[in-house]
Amino acid sequence: KAGVTQTPRYLIKTRGQQVTLSCSPISGHRSVSWYQQTPGQGLQFLFEYFSETQRNKGNFPGRFSGRQFSNSRSEMNVSTLELGDSALYLCASSRRDTGYEQYFGPGTRLTVT
Amino acid sequence: ILNVEQSPQSLHVQEGDSTNFTCGFPSSNFYALHWYRWETAKSPEALFVMTLNGDEKKKGRISATLNTKEGYSYLYIKGSQPEDSATYLCASPIQGAQKLVFGQGTRLTINP
């Protein structure tokens, strides 16, 4: 069974630009969650999608958005990048919700200069 | 407890010794408690998902217990090996079954 894949793995952007990250879940998994990991902050929940609907959102500004497609693949977008957005962005898929194991992708390392 | 809290933040253990660490979580509206192992340069890997009070799960030398009434879980590692060196994360849904909140993790280092 193929694992969760994320593209790109590394990204360097300039302040003010926007970025789109992609996540392909494990086949059959309908829930996709996104997390931001920065030193000292741990894993912070961004949002969760299930069947193309956002079911919950973390405490992040509106510059962070996402969507999910009918094949369960998900994208997250960050507009007007700030230096503080430099982080590792992880996505995780699960069968349904947090009553089930989350399977994490390798992450996208975003650096904003 | 209003958030997910882990202790200690870091731990150094001699190879062969056993160790344990704690995860505290809000006991109201409990839904599930997750444990993950996160090795450097890898993705977090699920160890256990626990949902029932008094539950005890085991995977090899690693086991976990759950007390949902008082809001804590313990992770135990028996006979630590160098490959056990990792950050161990616990997480619980707060404000909805879809929002998984992680603790800051316990960074475990096994000294050979």
Side-chain angles (χ1 to χ4, degrees), chain B residues 3-50:
Chain B
N3 214 332
V4 179
E5 298 170 1
Q6 292 186 248
S7 63
Q9 277 192 320
S10 66
L11 199 50
H12 289 254
V13 172
Q14 209 61 31
E15 182 177 351
D17 287 352
S18 296
T19 187
N20 65 84
F21 24 94
T22 309
C23 173
F25 54 88
S27 54
S28 60
N29 299 317
F30 174 79
Y31 188 70
L33 190 283
H34 295 225
W35 281 101
Y36 292 86
R37 174 170 57 203
W38 195 356
E39 296 177 68
T40 304
K42 293 188 178 179
S43 309
E45 174 196 359
L47 289 171
F48 308 111
V49 177
M50 308 171 80

Short mmCIF file of all heavy atoms in Angstrom, two decimals, chain B residues 3-50:
data_model
loop_
_atom_site.label_atom_id
_atom_site.label_comp_id
_atom_site.label_asym_id
_atom_site.label_seq_id
_atom_site.Cartn_x
_atom_site.Cartn_y
_atom_site.Cartn_z
N ASN B 3 -5.19 21.55 27.77
CA ASN B 3 -4.47 21.28 26.54
C ASN B 3 -3.82 19.90 26.65
O ASN B 3 -4.10 19.17 27.60
CB ASN B 3 -3.40 22.35 26.36
CG ASN B 3 -3.19 22.69 24.90
OD1 ASN B 3 -3.42 21.86 24.03
ND2 ASN B 3 -2.76 23.89 24.63
N VAL B 4 -3.01 19.53 25.69
CA VAL B 4 -2.29 18.27 25.76
C VAL B 4 -0.87 18.56 26.24
O VAL B 4 -0.17 19.37 25.63
CB VAL B 4 -2.26 17.57 24.38
CG1 VAL B 4 -1.48 16.26 24.47
CG2 VAL B 4 -3.68 17.30 23.91
N GLU B 5 -0.50 17.97 27.36
CA GLU B 5 0.79 18.26 27.96
C GLU B 5 1.59 16.99 28.16
O GLU B 5 1.05 15.97 28.61
CB GLU B 5 0.57 18.95 29.32
CG GLU B 5 -0.16 20.28 29.22
CD GLU B 5 -0.57 20.83 30.57
OE1 GLU B 5 -0.28 20.20 31.60
OE2 GLU B 5 -1.21 21.91 30.60
N GLN B 6 2.88 17.06 27.84
CA GLN B 6 3.74 15.89 27.99
C GLN B 6 4.89 16.20 28.92
O GLN B 6 5.41 17.32 28.95
CB GLN B 6 4.31 15.46 26.63
CG GLN B 6 3.25 14.91 25.70
CD GLN B 6 3.84 14.35 24.43
OE1 GLN B 6 3.65 14.89 23.35
NE2 GLN B 6 4.56 13.23 24.57
N SER B 7 5.28 15.19 29.67
CA SER B 7 6.47 15.34 30.52
C SER B 7 7.19 14.00 30.63
O SER B 7 6.56 12.94 30.57
CB SER B 7 6.06 15.85 31.90
OG SER B 7 5.22 14.90 32.54
N PRO B 8 8.54 14.05 30.77
CA PRO B 8 9.34 15.26 30.70
C PRO B 8 9.53 15.71 29.26
O PRO B 8 9.13 15.00 28.33
CB PRO B 8 10.67 14.80 31.30
CG PRO B 8 10.77 13.36 30.92
CD PRO B 8 9.35 12.83 30.96
N GLN B 9 10.17 16.85 29.07
CA GLN B 9 10.44 17.34 27.71
C GLN B 9 11.53 16.51 27.06
O GLN B 9 11.51 16.28 25.86
CB GLN B 9 10.88 18.80 27.76
CG GLN B 9 9.74 19.77 27.82
CD GLN B 9 10.19 21.20 27.59
OE1 GLN B 9 11.25 21.61 28.07
NE2 GLN B 9 9.41 21.96 26.86
N SER B 10 12.52 16.11 27.86
CA SER B 10 13.59 15.27 27.32
C SER B 10 14.05 14.28 28.38
O SER B 10 13.86 14.51 29.58
CB SER B 10 14.76 16.10 26.81
OG SER B 10 15.39 16.76 27.88
N LEU B 11 14.64 13.22 27.90
CA LEU B 11 14.99 12.11 28.79
C LEU B 11 16.21 11.40 28.20
O LEU B 11 16.25 11.12 26.99
CB LEU B 11 13.80 11.15 28.82
CG LEU B 11 13.61 10.13 29.90
CD1 LEU B 11 13.75 10.74 31.29
CD2 LEU B 11 12.23 9.50 29.75
N HIS B 12 17.20 11.15 29.04
CA HIS B 12 18.36 10.36 28.63
C HIS B 12 18.35 9.07 29.43
O HIS B 12 18.31 9.12 30.67
CB HIS B 12 19.65 11.14 28.87
CG HIS B 12 19.83 12.30 27.94
ND1 HIS B 12 20.72 12.29 26.90
CD2 HIS B 12 19.19 13.49 27.87
CE1 HIS B 12 20.64 13.43 26.23
NE2 HIS B 12 19.72 14.18 26.80
N VAL B 13 18.38 7.96 28.74
CA VAL B 13 18.28 6.66 29.40
C VAL B 13 19.41 5.77 28.93
O VAL B 13 19.80 5.81 27.75
CB VAL B 13 16.91 6.02 29.06
CG1 VAL B 13 16.82 4.60 29.57
CG2 VAL B 13 15.77 6.85 29.64
N GLN B 14 19.92 4.96 29.83
CA GLN B 14 20.98 4.02 29.48
C GLN B 14 20.39 2.83 28.73
O GLN B 14 19.29 2.35 29.06
CB GLN B 14 21.65 3.54 30.78
CG GLN B 14 23.10 3.15 30.64
CD GLN B 14 24.00 4.30 30.18
OE1 GLN B 14 23.75 5.47 30.47
NE2 GLN B 14 25.03 3.96 29.45
N GLU B 15 21.10 2.36 27.72
CA GLU B 15 20.64 1.19 26.97
C GLU B 15 20.36 0.03 27.93
O GLU B 15 21.15 -0.24 28.83
CB GLU B 15 21.72 0.77 25.97
CG GLU B 15 21.34 -0.41 25.09
CD GLU B 15 22.40 -0.76 24.07
OE1 GLU B 15 23.37 0.02 23.92
OE2 GLU B 15 22.27 -1.80 23.41
N GLY B 16 19.23 -0.60 27.72
CA GLY B 16 18.84 -1.73 28.56
C GLY B 16 17.90 -1.35 29.69
O GLY B 16 17.18 -2.20 30.22
N ASP B 17 17.89 -0.06 30.06
CA ASP B 17 16.99 0.39 31.12
C ASP B 17 15.57 0.54 30.57
O ASP B 17 15.37 0.70 29.37
CB ASP B 17 17.45 1.74 31.69
CG ASP B 17 18.67 1.58 32.56
OD1 ASP B 17 19.07 0.42 32.84
OD2 ASP B 17 19.24 2.62 32.96
N SER B 18 14.61 0.52 31.47
CA SER B 18 13.22 0.79 31.09
C SER B 18 12.88 2.23 31.46
O SER B 18 13.50 2.81 32.35
CB SER B 18 12.29 -0.18 31.81
OG SER B 18 12.56 -1.50 31.38
N THR B 19 11.92 2.78 30.76
CA THR B 19 11.55 4.17 31.01
C THR B 19 10.08 4.38 30.74
O THR B 19 9.41 3.53 30.15
CB THR B 19 12.39 5.12 30.12
OG1 THR B 19 12.12 6.47 30.50
CG2 THR B 19 12.07 4.94 28.64
N ASN B 20 9.57 5.50 31.20
CA ASN B 20 8.17 5.83 30.90
C ASN B 20 8.00 7.34 30.91
O ASN B 20 8.80 8.06 31.52
CB ASN B 20 7.21 5.17 31.89
CG ASN B 20 7.38 5.70 33.30
OD1 ASN B 20 6.83 6.73 33.66
ND2 ASN B 20 8.17 5.00 34.11
N PHE B 21 7.00 7.80 30.22
CA PHE B 21 6.68 9.22 30.23
C PHE B 21 5.17 9.41 30.13
O PHE B 21 4.43 8.48 29.89
CB PHE B 21 7.43 10.02 29.16
CG PHE B 21 7.91 9.24 27.98
CD1 PHE B 21 7.14 9.17 26.84
CD2 PHE B 21 9.15 8.60 28.00
CE1 PHE B 21 7.58 8.47 25.73
CE2 PHE B 21 9.59 7.89 26.89
CZ PHE B 21 8.81 7.82 25.76
N THR B 22 4.77 10.66 30.37
CA THR B 22 3.36 10.95 30.63
C THR B 22 2.76 11.89 29.60
O THR B 22 3.44 12.78 29.08
CB THR B 22 3.23 11.63 32.01
OG1 THR B 22 3.91 10.87 32.97
CG2 THR B 22 1.77 11.79 32.41
N CYS B 23 1.48 11.67 29.37
CA CYS B 23 0.69 12.59 28.54
C CYS B 23 -0.57 12.94 29.30
O CYS B 23 -1.31 12.05 29.74
CB CYS B 23 0.34 11.92 27.22
SG CYS B 23 -0.82 12.86 26.19
N GLY B 24 -0.82 14.23 29.49
CA GLY B 24 -2.05 14.69 30.12
C GLY B 24 -2.93 15.34 29.09
O GLY B 24 -2.45 16.02 28.18
N PHE B 25 -4.22 15.12 29.19
CA PHE B 25 -5.16 15.66 28.20
C PHE B 25 -6.47 15.99 28.90
O PHE B 25 -6.76 15.50 30.00
CB PHE B 25 -5.38 14.63 27.08
CG PHE B 25 -5.82 13.29 27.58
CD1 PHE B 25 -7.16 12.99 27.77
CD2 PHE B 25 -4.88 12.30 27.88
CE1 PHE B 25 -7.56 11.76 28.26
CE2 PHE B 25 -5.26 11.07 28.37
CZ PHE B 25 -6.60 10.79 28.56
N PRO B 26 -7.30 16.84 28.27
CA PRO B 26 -8.60 17.17 28.88
C PRO B 26 -9.46 15.91 28.99
O PRO B 26 -9.61 15.17 28.01
CB PRO B 26 -9.21 18.18 27.91
CG PRO B 26 -8.07 18.71 27.13
CD PRO B 26 -7.07 17.59 27.04
N SER B 27 -10.00 15.67 30.18
CA SER B 27 -10.78 14.45 30.37
C SER B 27 -12.24 14.61 29.95
O SER B 27 -12.94 13.61 29.73
CB SER B 27 -10.72 14.01 31.84
OG SER B 27 -11.12 15.07 32.68
N SER B 28 -12.70 15.86 29.81
CA SER B 28 -14.09 16.05 29.38
C SER B 28 -14.20 15.83 27.88
O SER B 28 -13.29 16.17 27.12
CB SER B 28 -14.55 17.46 29.76
OG SER B 28 -13.75 18.42 29.13
N ASN B 29 -15.31 15.25 27.47
CA ASN B 29 -15.57 15.00 26.04
C ASN B 29 -14.42 14.21 25.39
O ASN B 29 -14.04 14.49 24.25
CB ASN B 29 -15.77 16.31 25.27
CG ASN B 29 -16.97 17.08 25.79
OD1 ASN B 29 -18.02 16.51 26.06
ND2 ASN B 29 -16.79 18.38 25.97
N PHE B 30 -13.90 13.24 26.11
CA PHE B 30 -12.79 12.45 25.58
C PHE B 30 -13.25 11.66 24.36
O PHE B 30 -14.35 11.11 24.33
CB PHE B 30 -12.25 11.50 26.64
CG PHE B 30 -11.20 10.58 26.10
CD1 PHE B 30 -9.90 11.03 25.92
CD2 PHE B 30 -11.51 9.27 25.74
CE1 PHE B 30 -8.92 10.18 25.40
CE2 PHE B 30 -10.54 8.42 25.22
CZ PHE B 30 -9.25 8.89 25.06
N TYR B 31 -12.36 11.61 23.36
CA TYR B 31 -12.69 10.85 22.14
C TYR B 31 -11.63 9.80 21.84
O TYR B 31 -11.94 8.65 21.54
CB TYR B 31 -12.85 11.81 20.96
CG TYR B 31 -13.37 11.15 19.70
CD1 TYR B 31 -14.69 10.71 19.61
CD2 TYR B 31 -12.54 10.98 18.60
CE1 TYR B 31 -15.16 10.10 18.46
CE2 TYR B 31 -13.01 10.38 17.44
CZ TYR B 31 -14.32 9.95 17.38
OH TYR B 31 -14.79 9.34 16.24
N ALA B 32 -10.36 10.21 21.88
CA ALA B 32 -9.28 9.27 21.56
C ALA B 32 -7.96 9.85 22.04
O ALA B 32 -7.82 11.06 22.24
CB ALA B 32 -9.22 9.00 20.06
N LEU B 33 -6.97 8.99 22.22
CA LEU B 33 -5.64 9.41 22.60
C LEU B 33 -4.66 8.67 21.68
O LEU B 33 -4.71 7.45 21.54
CB LEU B 33 -5.37 9.07 24.07
CG LEU B 33 -4.13 9.62 24.78
CD1 LEU B 33 -2.85 8.85 24.41
CD2 LEU B 33 -3.94 11.11 24.56
N HIS B 34 -3.79 9.46 21.04
CA HIS B 34 -2.83 8.89 20.09
C HIS B 34 -1.42 9.00 20.65
O HIS B 34 -1.08 10.00 21.31
CB HIS B 34 -2.83 9.69 18.78
CG HIS B 34 -4.10 9.64 17.99
ND1 HIS B 34 -4.10 9.44 16.63
CD2 HIS B 34 -5.39 9.80 18.34
CE1 HIS B 34 -5.35 9.47 16.19
NE2 HIS B 34 -6.15 9.69 17.20
N TRP B 35 -0.59 8.02 20.32
CA TRP B 35 0.86 8.09 20.56
C TRP B 35 1.57 7.90 19.24
O TRP B 35 1.23 6.99 18.46
CB TRP B 35 1.32 7.01 21.54
CG TRP B 35 1.07 7.30 22.98
CD1 TRP B 35 0.06 6.81 23.77
CD2 TRP B 35 1.85 8.16 23.84
NE1 TRP B 35 0.18 7.29 25.05
CE2 TRP B 35 1.26 8.12 25.12
CE3 TRP B 35 2.98 8.95 23.65
CZ2 TRP B 35 1.76 8.84 26.21
CZ3 TRP B 35 3.49 9.66 24.73
CH2 TRP B 35 2.89 9.59 25.99
N TYR B 36 2.59 8.75 19.00
CA TYR B 36 3.39 8.66 17.78
C TYR B 36 4.87 8.68 18.15
O TYR B 36 5.27 9.31 19.12
CB TYR B 36 3.10 9.85 16.84
CG TYR B 36 1.72 9.81 16.25
CD1 TYR B 36 0.64 10.35 16.94
CD2 TYR B 36 1.47 9.20 15.03
CE1 TYR B 36 -0.63 10.30 16.42
CE2 TYR B 36 0.20 9.14 14.51
CZ TYR B 36 -0.85 9.69 15.21
OH TYR B 36 -2.12 9.62 14.70
N ARG B 37 5.66 8.04 17.32
CA ARG B 37 7.11 8.11 17.44
C ARG B 37 7.62 8.87 16.23
O ARG B 37 7.24 8.56 15.09
CB ARG B 37 7.74 6.70 17.46
CG ARG B 37 9.26 6.73 17.45
CD ARG B 37 9.83 5.36 17.72
NE ARG B 37 9.35 4.37 16.77
CZ ARG B 37 9.34 3.07 17.03
NH1 ARG B 37 9.77 2.62 18.20
NH2 ARG B 37 8.89 2.22 16.13
N TRP B 38 8.49 9.87 16.49
CA TRP B 38 9.00 10.69 15.41
C TRP B 38 10.51 10.66 15.46
O TRP B 38 11.13 11.31 16.29
CB TRP B 38 8.47 12.11 15.54
CG TRP B 38 8.64 12.93 14.30
CD1 TRP B 38 9.26 12.57 13.13
CD2 TRP B 38 8.19 14.26 14.11
NE1 TRP B 38 9.20 13.57 12.21
CE2 TRP B 38 8.53 14.64 12.79
CE3 TRP B 38 7.50 15.17 14.90
CZ2 TRP B 38 8.22 15.88 12.26
CZ3 TRP B 38 7.19 16.41 14.37
CH2 TRP B 38 7.55 16.77 13.07
N GLU B 39 11.09 9.90 14.53
CA GLU B 39 12.54 9.83 14.43
C GLU B 39 13.03 10.95 13.51
O GLU B 39 12.32 11.35 12.58
CB GLU B 39 12.98 8.47 13.86
CG GLU B 39 12.61 7.31 14.76
CD GLU B 39 13.00 5.99 14.13
OE1 GLU B 39 14.21 5.71 13.99
OE2 GLU B 39 12.09 5.22 13.77
N THR B 40 14.24 11.38 13.76
CA THR B 40 14.84 12.46 12.98
C THR B 40 14.85 12.09 11.50
O THR B 40 15.17 10.96 11.13
CB THR B 40 16.28 12.70 13.46
OG1 THR B 40 16.25 12.97 14.85
CG2 THR B 40 16.90 13.88 12.73
N ALA B 41 14.46 13.06 10.67
CA ALA B 41 14.45 12.92 9.21
C ALA B 41 13.40 11.92 8.70
O ALA B 41 13.43 11.53 7.54
CB ALA B 41 15.82 12.53 8.67
N LYS B 42 12.49 11.53 9.57
CA LYS B 42 11.39 10.65 9.13
C LYS B 42 10.06 11.31 9.47
O LYS B 42 10.00 12.38 10.07
CB LYS B 42 11.50 9.30 9.84
CG LYS B 42 12.72 8.49 9.44
CD LYS B 42 12.63 7.09 10.02
CE LYS B 42 13.82 6.26 9.59
NZ LYS B 42 13.78 4.89 10.16
N SER B 43 8.97 10.64 9.09
CA SER B 43 7.63 11.13 9.42
C SER B 43 7.19 10.53 10.74
O SER B 43 7.61 9.44 11.10
CB SER B 43 6.63 10.71 8.34
OG SER B 43 7.09 11.04 7.07
N PRO B 44 6.30 11.24 11.45
CA PRO B 44 5.73 10.62 12.66
C PRO B 44 5.05 9.31 12.30
O PRO B 44 4.36 9.21 11.29
CB PRO B 44 4.72 11.66 13.14
CG PRO B 44 5.17 12.95 12.55
CD PRO B 44 5.78 12.60 11.23
N GLU B 45 5.25 8.33 13.17
CA GLU B 45 4.69 7.00 12.93
C GLU B 45 3.76 6.65 14.09
O GLU B 45 4.14 6.78 15.26
CB GLU B 45 5.84 5.99 12.87
CG GLU B 45 5.42 4.54 12.77
CD GLU B 45 6.57 3.58 13.09
OE1 GLU B 45 7.69 4.07 13.36
OE2 GLU B 45 6.34 2.37 13.08
N ALA B 46 2.55 6.21 13.76
CA ALA B 46 1.59 5.88 14.81
C ALA B 46 2.04 4.67 15.61
O ALA B 46 2.46 3.66 15.06
CB ALA B 46 0.22 5.61 14.19
N LEU B 47 1.95 4.80 16.93
CA LEU B 47 2.20 3.66 17.82
C LEU B 47 0.87 3.07 18.28
O LEU B 47 0.63 1.88 18.13
CB LEU B 47 3.01 4.11 19.04
CG LEU B 47 4.48 4.47 18.80
CD1 LEU B 47 5.08 5.09 20.05
CD2 LEU B 47 5.27 3.25 18.37
N PHE B 48 0.04 3.93 18.87
CA PHE B 48 -1.24 3.46 19.39
C PHE B 48 -2.31 4.53 19.22
O PHE B 48 -2.02 5.71 19.26
CB PHE B 48 -1.14 3.17 20.91
CG PHE B 48 0.00 2.27 21.31
CD1 PHE B 48 1.08 2.76 22.03
CD2 PHE B 48 -0.02 0.92 20.97
CE1 PHE B 48 2.12 1.93 22.40
CE2 PHE B 48 1.02 0.08 21.34
CZ PHE B 48 2.10 0.60 22.05
N VAL B 49 -3.54 4.08 19.06
CA VAL B 49 -4.71 4.93 19.21
C VAL B 49 -5.58 4.24 20.24
O VAL B 49 -5.95 3.08 20.08
CB VAL B 49 -5.49 5.10 17.89
CG1 VAL B 49 -6.75 5.93 18.14
CG2 VAL B 49 -4.62 5.77 16.84
N MET B 50 -5.88 4.96 21.32
CA MET B 50 -6.60 4.36 22.44
C MET B 50 -7.90 5.12 22.67
O MET B 50 -7.90 6.35 22.61
CB MET B 50 -5.73 4.40 23.70
CG MET B 50 -4.35 3.80 23.44
SD MET B 50 -3.21 4.06 24.79
CE MET B 50 -3.73 2.78 25.90
#
